[in-house]
């Protein structure tokens, strides 16, 4: 059974995130959506709210689970038996950051691979930051 982990803060989960989740669910037997807590970010939604949003959003995907984790991503992947991290990329800036993170995670656990999925064209320009701003100013999503 191939297990993958799709990590993020998901504050909030976006259509772009859901696109990556759905595509990953087609590629792997089991996908764990791991909500990680970033102490450097001020979140709009609590960690529990973010997990619940994802759970409702993936209810139709039997091979996808969402969980909160407060430790290192590599440790979570090892606990779940997931040897693959899935990351969505919108642009070259995302690639530069995620490539560095992939190297760090592989340094922590040598058996951990990172797979990059390019964002679908219709979601390349959306980010959680943009969605939060729209919510703050009462704009329709």
């Amino acid at each position: 059974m191939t297990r993958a982990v799709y990590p993020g803060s998901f504050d909030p989960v976006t259509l772009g995130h859901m696109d990556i989740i759905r595509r990953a669910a087609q590629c792997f037997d089991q996908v764990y959506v791991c909500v990680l807590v970033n102490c450097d970010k001020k979140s709009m939604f609590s960690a529990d709210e973010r997990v619940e949003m994802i759970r409702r959003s993936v209810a139709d995907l039997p091979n996808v689970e969402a969980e909160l984790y407060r430790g290192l991503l590599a440790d979570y992947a090892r606990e779940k038996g997931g040897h693959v991290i899935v990351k969505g990329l919108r642009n070259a800036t995302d690639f530069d950051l995620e490539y560095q993170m992939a190297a760090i995670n592989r340094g922590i656990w040598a058996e951990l691979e990172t797979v990059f999925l390019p964002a679908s064209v219709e979601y390349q320009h959306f980010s959680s930051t943009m969605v939060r701003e729209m919510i703050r100013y009462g704009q329709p999503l």
Side-chain angles (χ1 to χ4, degrees):
M1 176 190 251
T2 35
R3 297 178 182 149
V5 176
Y6 179 44
S9 56
F10 304 105
D11 186 38
V13 65
T14 67
L15 293 175
H17 293 134
M18 288 305 303
D19 179 56
I20 298 296
I21 291 168
R22 289 185 184 287
R23 290 165 53 203
Q26 293 174 350
C27 297
F28 300 98
D29 298 320
Q30 182 70 42
V31 176
Y32 297 99
V33 181
C34 180
V35 176
L36 294 166
V37 177
N38 184 339
C39 298
D40 295 332
K41 286 186 178 180
K42 184 173 179 353
S43 300
M44 176 176 269
F45 298 95
S46 74
D48 290 335
E49 287 172 322
R50 289 180 273 152
V51 170
E52 185 56 31
M53 281 188 263
I54 295 167
R55 284 181 178 157
R56 281 186 270 134
S57 299
V58 301
D60 64 320
L61 300 172
N63 64 328
V64 177
E65 292 179 37
E67 295 182 324
L68 174 64
Y69 193 73
R70 296 185 186 277
L72 290 174
L73 174 59
D75 291 338
Y76 177 82
R78 189 180 335 212
E79 287 175 22
K80 292 298 180 180
H83 291 264
V84 177
I85 300 295
V86 174
K87 295 300 292 194
L89 299 177
R90 293 170 296 178
N91 52 43
T93 302
D94 283 354
F95 176 80
D96 289 343
L97 176 65
E98 296 301 344
Y99 187 83
Q100 291 173 22
M101 292 304 301
I104 291 167
N105 285 324
R106 192 130 191 223
I108 294 169
W109 185 28
E111 296 174 33
L112 190 57
E113 293 291 346
T114 299
V115 172
F116 300 119
L117 294 178
S120 295
V121 174
E122 61 267 35
Y123 304 119
Q124 285 180 343
H125 304 292
F126 289 97
S127 68
S128 291
T129 302
M130 181 190 316
V131 172
R132 283 193 305 274
E133 285 298 301
M134 292 175 74
I135 291 169
R136 278 190 188 100
Y137 293 104
Q139 295 300 308
L141 299 176

PDB file of all heavy atoms in Angstrom, residues 26-48:
ATOM      1  N   GLN A  26      -5.818   9.961  -6.400  1.00  0.00           N
ATOM      2  CA  GLN A  26      -5.834   9.075  -7.567  1.00  0.00           C
ATOM      3  C   GLN A  26      -4.505   8.344  -7.738  1.00  0.00           C
ATOM      4  O   GLN A  26      -4.441   7.303  -8.380  1.00  0.00           O
ATOM      5  CB  GLN A  26      -6.140   9.870  -8.834  1.00  0.00           C
ATOM      6  CG  GLN A  26      -7.538  10.435  -8.872  1.00  0.00           C
ATOM      7  CD  GLN A  26      -7.757  11.335 -10.087  1.00  0.00           C
ATOM      8  OE1 GLN A  26      -6.826  11.697 -10.806  1.00  0.00           O
ATOM      9  NE2 GLN A  26      -9.007  11.696 -10.312  1.00  0.00           N
ATOM     10  N   CYS A  27      -3.442   8.885  -7.166  1.00  0.00           N
ATOM     11  CA  CYS A  27      -2.093   8.325  -7.344  1.00  0.00           C
ATOM     12  C   CYS A  27      -1.663   7.377  -6.233  1.00  0.00           C
ATOM     13  O   CYS A  27      -0.785   6.536  -6.454  1.00  0.00           O
ATOM     14  CB  CYS A  27      -1.075   9.458  -7.418  1.00  0.00           C
ATOM     15  SG  CYS A  27      -1.289  10.579  -8.807  1.00  0.00           S
ATOM     16  N   PHE A  28      -2.258   7.542  -5.042  1.00  0.00           N
ATOM     17  CA  PHE A  28      -1.806   6.775  -3.882  1.00  0.00           C
ATOM     18  C   PHE A  28      -2.978   6.044  -3.242  1.00  0.00           C
ATOM     19  O   PHE A  28      -4.115   6.501  -3.319  1.00  0.00           O
ATOM     20  CB  PHE A  28      -1.142   7.708  -2.853  1.00  0.00           C
ATOM     21  CG  PHE A  28       0.052   8.436  -3.406  1.00  0.00           C
ATOM     22  CD1 PHE A  28      -0.059   9.737  -3.866  1.00  0.00           C
ATOM     23  CD2 PHE A  28       1.285   7.813  -3.493  1.00  0.00           C
ATOM     24  CE1 PHE A  28       1.028  10.405  -4.404  1.00  0.00           C
ATOM     25  CE2 PHE A  28       2.382   8.463  -4.022  1.00  0.00           C
ATOM     26  CZ  PHE A  28       2.256   9.768  -4.486  1.00  0.00           C
ATOM     27  N   ASP A  29      -2.667   4.920  -2.595  1.00  0.00           N
ATOM     28  CA  ASP A  29      -3.713   4.140  -1.922  1.00  0.00           C
ATOM     29  C   ASP A  29      -4.306   4.898  -0.743  1.00  0.00           C
ATOM     30  O   ASP A  29      -5.497   4.805  -0.469  1.00  0.00           O
ATOM     31  CB  ASP A  29      -3.149   2.801  -1.428  1.00  0.00           C
ATOM     32  CG  ASP A  29      -2.655   1.930  -2.562  1.00  0.00           C
ATOM     33  OD1 ASP A  29      -3.326   1.896  -3.618  1.00  0.00           O
ATOM     34  OD2 ASP A  29      -1.607   1.290  -2.397  1.00  0.00           O
ATOM     35  N   GLN A  30      -3.461   5.642  -0.030  1.00  0.00           N
ATOM     36  CA  GLN A  30      -3.898   6.387   1.149  1.00  0.00           C
ATOM     37  C   GLN A  30      -3.199   7.740   1.151  1.00  0.00           C
ATOM     38  O   GLN A  30      -1.998   7.813   0.915  1.00  0.00           O
ATOM     39  CB  GLN A  30      -3.545   5.625   2.433  1.00  0.00           C
ATOM     40  CG  GLN A  30      -3.991   6.290   3.705  1.00  0.00           C
ATOM     41  CD  GLN A  30      -5.506   6.254   3.880  1.00  0.00           C
ATOM     42  OE1 GLN A  30      -6.132   5.251   3.617  1.00  0.00           O
ATOM     43  NE2 GLN A  30      -6.073   7.359   4.306  1.00  0.00           N
ATOM     44  N   VAL A  31      -3.966   8.801   1.411  1.00  0.00           N
ATOM     45  CA  VAL A  31      -3.400  10.146   1.514  1.00  0.00           C
ATOM     46  C   VAL A  31      -3.780  10.708   2.877  1.00  0.00           C
ATOM     47  O   VAL A  31      -4.958  10.737   3.234  1.00  0.00           O
ATOM     48  CB  VAL A  31      -3.915  11.080   0.394  1.00  0.00           C
ATOM     49  CG1 VAL A  31      -3.378  12.494   0.593  1.00  0.00           C
ATOM     50  CG2 VAL A  31      -3.528  10.541  -0.975  1.00  0.00           C
ATOM     51  N   TYR A  32      -2.767  11.124   3.615  1.00  0.00           N
ATOM     52  CA  TYR A  32      -2.975  11.782   4.901  1.00  0.00           C
ATOM     53  C   TYR A  32      -2.756  13.279   4.695  1.00  0.00           C
ATOM     54  O   TYR A  32      -1.664  13.695   4.315  1.00  0.00           O
ATOM     55  CB  TYR A  32      -2.005  11.261   5.956  1.00  0.00           C
ATOM     56  CG  TYR A  32      -2.190   9.806   6.265  1.00  0.00           C
ATOM     57  CD1 TYR A  32      -1.360   8.840   5.696  1.00  0.00           C
ATOM     58  CD2 TYR A  32      -3.204   9.389   7.112  1.00  0.00           C
ATOM     59  CE1 TYR A  32      -1.535   7.490   5.976  1.00  0.00           C
ATOM     60  CE2 TYR A  32      -3.390   8.043   7.397  1.00  0.00           C
ATOM     61  CZ  TYR A  32      -2.549   7.105   6.821  1.00  0.00           C
ATOM     62  OH  TYR A  32      -2.736   5.766   7.100  1.00  0.00           O
ATOM     63  N   VAL A  33      -3.796  14.062   4.912  1.00  0.00           N
ATOM     64  CA  VAL A  33      -3.667  15.512   4.855  1.00  0.00           C
ATOM     65  C   VAL A  33      -3.280  15.941   6.263  1.00  0.00           C
ATOM     66  O   VAL A  33      -4.056  15.792   7.204  1.00  0.00           O
ATOM     67  CB  VAL A  33      -4.972  16.183   4.398  1.00  0.00           C
ATOM     68  CG1 VAL A  33      -4.787  17.694   4.342  1.00  0.00           C
ATOM     69  CG2 VAL A  33      -5.407  15.641   3.037  1.00  0.00           C
ATOM     70  N   CYS A  34      -2.077  16.429   6.389  1.00  0.00           N
ATOM     71  CA  CYS A  34      -1.509  16.741   7.699  1.00  0.00           C
ATOM     72  C   CYS A  34      -1.520  18.243   7.924  1.00  0.00           C
ATOM     73  O   CYS A  34      -0.797  18.989   7.262  1.00  0.00           O
ATOM     74  CB  CYS A  34      -0.084  16.205   7.760  1.00  0.00           C
ATOM     75  SG  CYS A  34       0.739  16.522   9.321  1.00  0.00           S
ATOM     76  N   VAL A  35      -2.364  18.676   8.843  1.00  0.00           N
ATOM     77  CA  VAL A  35      -2.409  20.091   9.221  1.00  0.00           C
ATOM     78  C   VAL A  35      -1.303  20.313  10.238  1.00  0.00           C
ATOM     79  O   VAL A  35      -1.330  19.752  11.335  1.00  0.00           O
ATOM     80  CB  VAL A  35      -3.783  20.471   9.805  1.00  0.00           C
ATOM     81  CG1 VAL A  35      -3.778  21.913  10.281  1.00  0.00           C
ATOM     82  CG2 VAL A  35      -4.887  20.240   8.776  1.00  0.00           C
ATOM     83  N   LEU A  36      -0.328  21.108   9.833  1.00  0.00           N
ATOM     84  CA  LEU A  36       0.803  21.404  10.702  1.00  0.00           C
ATOM     85  C   LEU A  36       0.617  22.784  11.325  1.00  0.00           C
ATOM     86  O   LEU A  36       0.049  23.684  10.711  1.00  0.00           O
ATOM     87  CB  LEU A  36       2.106  21.384   9.905  1.00  0.00           C
ATOM     88  CG  LEU A  36       2.495  20.012   9.342  1.00  0.00           C
ATOM     89  CD1 LEU A  36       3.577  20.152   8.295  1.00  0.00           C
ATOM     90  CD2 LEU A  36       2.941  19.099  10.460  1.00  0.00           C
ATOM     91  N   VAL A  37       1.087  22.932  12.536  1.00  0.00           N
ATOM     92  CA  VAL A  37       0.993  24.199  13.241  1.00  0.00           C
ATOM     93  C   VAL A  37       2.308  24.943  13.059  1.00  0.00           C
ATOM     94  O   VAL A  37       3.363  24.433  13.412  1.00  0.00           O
ATOM     95  CB  VAL A  37       0.701  23.987  14.744  1.00  0.00           C
ATOM     96  CG1 VAL A  37       0.687  25.306  15.483  1.00  0.00           C
ATOM     97  CG2 VAL A  37      -0.620  23.242  14.911  1.00  0.00           C
ATOM     98  N   ASN A  38       2.228  26.136  12.466  1.00  0.00           N
ATOM     99  CA  ASN A  38       3.401  26.979  12.266  1.00  0.00           C
ATOM    100  C   ASN A  38       3.348  28.099  13.299  1.00  0.00           C
ATOM    101  O   ASN A  38       2.522  29.003  13.195  1.00  0.00           O
ATOM    102  CB  ASN A  38       3.416  27.541  10.843  1.00  0.00           C
ATOM    103  CG  ASN A  38       4.659  28.343  10.548  1.00  0.00           C
ATOM    104  OD1 ASN A  38       5.333  28.825  11.452  1.00  0.00           O
ATOM    105  ND2 ASN A  38       4.960  28.494   9.276  1.00  0.00           N
ATOM    106  N   CYS A  39       4.204  28.025  14.286  1.00  0.00           N
ATOM    107  CA  CYS A  39       4.205  29.011  15.381  1.00  0.00           C
ATOM    108  C   CYS A  39       4.524  30.419  14.891  1.00  0.00           C
ATOM    109  O   CYS A  39       4.206  31.397  15.575  1.00  0.00           O
ATOM    110  CB  CYS A  39       5.205  28.602  16.453  1.00  0.00           C
ATOM    111  SG  CYS A  39       4.813  27.018  17.212  1.00  0.00           S
ATOM    112  N   ASP A  40       5.153  30.551  13.720  1.00  0.00           N
ATOM    113  CA  ASP A  40       5.508  31.856  13.190  1.00  0.00           C
ATOM    114  C   ASP A  40       4.347  32.533  12.460  1.00  0.00           C
ATOM    115  O   ASP A  40       4.447  33.702  12.102  1.00  0.00           O
ATOM    116  CB  ASP A  40       6.699  31.742  12.236  1.00  0.00           C
ATOM    117  CG  ASP A  40       7.962  31.300  12.956  1.00  0.00           C
ATOM    118  OD1 ASP A  40       8.081  31.580  14.169  1.00  0.00           O
ATOM    119  OD2 ASP A  40       8.819  30.670  12.307  1.00  0.00           O
ATOM    120  N   LYS A  41       3.278  31.805  12.199  1.00  0.00           N
ATOM    121  CA  LYS A  41       2.131  32.362  11.484  1.00  0.00           C
ATOM    122  C   LYS A  41       0.981  32.620  12.448  1.00  0.00           C
ATOM    123  O   LYS A  41       0.713  31.829  13.338  1.00  0.00           O
ATOM    124  CB  LYS A  41       1.635  31.376  10.418  1.00  0.00           C
ATOM    125  CG  LYS A  41       2.500  31.271   9.196  1.00  0.00           C
ATOM    126  CD  LYS A  41       1.815  30.391   8.162  1.00  0.00           C
ATOM    127  CE  LYS A  41       2.619  30.278   6.897  1.00  0.00           C
ATOM    128  NZ  LYS A  41       1.955  29.421   5.907  1.00  0.00           N
ATOM    129  N   LYS A  42       0.306  33.736  12.240  1.00  0.00           N
ATOM    130  CA  LYS A  42      -0.913  34.021  12.993  1.00  0.00           C
ATOM    131  C   LYS A  42      -2.074  33.509  12.148  1.00  0.00           C
ATOM    132  O   LYS A  42      -2.354  34.047  11.079  1.00  0.00           O
ATOM    133  CB  LYS A  42      -1.051  35.524  13.257  1.00  0.00           C
ATOM    134  CG  LYS A  42      -2.252  35.855  14.119  1.00  0.00           C
ATOM    135  CD  LYS A  42      -2.251  37.315  14.495  1.00  0.00           C
ATOM    136  CE  LYS A  42      -3.402  37.780  15.318  1.00  0.00           C
ATOM    137  NZ  LYS A  42      -4.496  36.944  15.600  1.00  0.00           N
ATOM    138  N   SER A  43      -2.711  32.479  12.611  1.00  0.00           N
ATOM    139  CA  SER A  43      -3.769  31.824  11.841  1.00  0.00           C
ATOM    140  C   SER A  43      -5.104  32.527  12.005  1.00  0.00           C
ATOM    141  O   SER A  43      -5.420  33.056  13.074  1.00  0.00           O
ATOM    142  CB  SER A  43      -3.914  30.365  12.295  1.00  0.00           C
ATOM    143  OG  SER A  43      -2.715  29.679  12.086  1.00  0.00           O
ATOM    144  N   MET A  44      -5.900  32.485  10.948  1.00  0.00           N
ATOM    145  CA  MET A  44      -7.259  33.008  11.004  1.00  0.00           C
ATOM    146  C   MET A  44      -8.175  31.981  11.651  1.00  0.00           C
ATOM    147  O   MET A  44      -9.082  32.325  12.396  1.00  0.00           O
ATOM    148  CB  MET A  44      -7.758  33.341   9.597  1.00  0.00           C
ATOM    149  CG  MET A  44      -9.212  33.806   9.563  1.00  0.00           C
ATOM    150  SD  MET A  44      -9.751  34.293   7.910  1.00  0.00           S
ATOM    151  CE  MET A  44      -9.354  36.038   7.974  1.00  0.00           C
ATOM    152  N   PHE A  45      -7.921  30.703  11.364  1.00  0.00           N
ATOM    153  CA  PHE A  45      -8.742  29.612  11.882  1.00  0.00           C
ATOM    154  C   PHE A  45      -7.906  28.766  12.837  1.00  0.00           C
ATOM    155  O   PHE A  45      -6.708  28.588  12.631  1.00  0.00           O
ATOM    156  CB  PHE A  45      -9.264  28.735  10.736  1.00  0.00           C
ATOM    157  CG  PHE A  45     -10.147  29.488   9.784  1.00  0.00           C
ATOM    158  CD1 PHE A  45      -9.625  30.039   8.622  1.00  0.00           C
ATOM    159  CD2 PHE A  45     -11.494  29.662  10.064  1.00  0.00           C
ATOM    160  CE1 PHE A  45     -10.431  30.750   7.747  1.00  0.00           C
ATOM    161  CE2 PHE A  45     -12.311  30.373   9.193  1.00  0.00           C
ATOM    162  CZ  PHE A  45     -11.776  30.918   8.035  1.00  0.00           C
ATOM    163  N   SER A  46      -8.547  28.219  13.856  1.00  0.00           N
ATOM    164  CA  SER A  46      -7.827  27.350  14.785  1.00  0.00           C
ATOM    165  C   SER A  46      -7.428  26.070  14.053  1.00  0.00           C
ATOM    166  O   SER A  46      -7.994  25.724  13.013  1.00  0.00           O
ATOM    167  CB  SER A  46      -8.707  27.008  15.991  1.00  0.00           C
ATOM    168  OG  SER A  46      -9.715  26.078  15.618  1.00  0.00           O
ATOM    169  N   ALA A  47      -6.471  25.367  14.620  1.00  0.00           N
ATOM    170  CA  ALA A  47      -6.028  24.112  14.024  1.00  0.00           C
ATOM    171  C   ALA A  47      -7.189  23.122  13.918  1.00  0.00           C
ATOM    172  O   ALA A  47      -7.352  22.450  12.895  1.00  0.00           O
ATOM    173  CB  ALA A  47      -4.884  23.518  14.837  1.00  0.00           C
ATOM    174  N   ASP A  48      -7.995  23.048  14.964  1.00  0.00           N
ATOM    175  CA  ASP A  48      -9.146  22.130  14.937  1.00  0.00           C
ATOM    176  C   ASP A  48     -10.148  22.520  13.858  1.00  0.00           C
ATOM    177  O   ASP A  48     -10.710  21.652  13.183  1.00  0.00           O
ATOM    178  CB  ASP A  48      -9.831  22.091  16.307  1.00  0.00           C
ATOM    179  CG  ASP A  48      -8.988  21.388  17.354  1.00  0.00           C
ATOM    180  OD1 ASP A  48      -8.138  20.544  16.979  1.00  0.00           O
ATOM    181  OD2 ASP A  48      -9.159  21.689  18.552  1.00  0.00           O
TER     182      ASP A  48
END
